[in-house]
Amino acid sequence: MSPEVSNNKSIPIRFFVVAFLWSWLLWLPFVMGGLGIWDWDENLRSILSMPTIILGAFGPGIAAVYSIRTLQGKSAVKPFLRSFLSFKFGWKVWLIIFGAMGLANFLAWYLPGFFGYERLPMLLPTIFVFPIYWLVMVFFGGGQEEIGWRGYIMPYLESRYGILLGNTILGIIWALWHAPLWLIPDSFQVFMPFPAFLIGCIGLSFFFSWVVKASNNKPLSALIAHGTSNAMLPVFPSLILASGVFQFHFWILEILYLIIGIVALLSLKKQ
């Protein structure tokens, strides 16, 4: 159940405050380590960094529950969470999610080969572990963010600013929320050019908005879409895990995400 919003209803700023505080405070010790401010044991940091990054990614979801509880009352929390249990959003939506995310990642991996770039080897030990990896990505590897981003705050921004501007704003906020990860040595973001990442966040915001609407406002579809986009990365790698290199593959991927998102929004306008 998406939050009921109207054009004159104010955007719950507390959502953004809690989302950023939860995530950034959890990530802060690792940022301080990355900046050399806090010299703590490197082995301990390596062990704890990824679990803490994952826990921090629950910030938007926790912020959504907090906002609903404080603004609409305790009784509104359970229906909100229950709305994420429905898988019934049609085979076409599932097909487009996997087709669009798979095609974008494949092209970003394949096309640079024509320009002299190496086609990077698959990072999964075998393709047969993909279903398990996909489930992990949906619920713990990024998809969980959508409880807050698309499941809660997106309708407010779309109602106030419209689908295009609302999701552009959300994409920018979403990218900025990730910013501390560029200062954590054990995160993948340290290899990503932020401008490309920002473009991709805006494009995926457009696409995820389409996914939710095409699924008859089933918010679980956003978790599926986000988790699928992340799960495709090690299958068709587009990120060179080295500093100081031009991430041509990654730029192509993020631009393709933007193109897919624009096409998705245009299809909504025609309906």
Side-chain angles (χ1 to χ4, degrees), residues 252-264:
I252 291 178
L253 177 64
E254 303 304 287
I255 291 171
L256 286 172
Y257 280 160
L258 181 61
I259 293 171
I260 289 171
I262 291 173
V263 171

Side-chain angles (χ1 to χ4, degrees), residues 157-181:
L157 293 171
E158 289 185 345
S159 178
R160 174 61 65 89
Y161 299 109
I163 291 178
L164 178 60
L165 181 56
N167 282 291
T168 301
I169 293 171
L170 181 52
I172 293 170
I173 293 173
W174 183 26
L176 292 175
W177 171 81
H178 286 85
L181 300 180

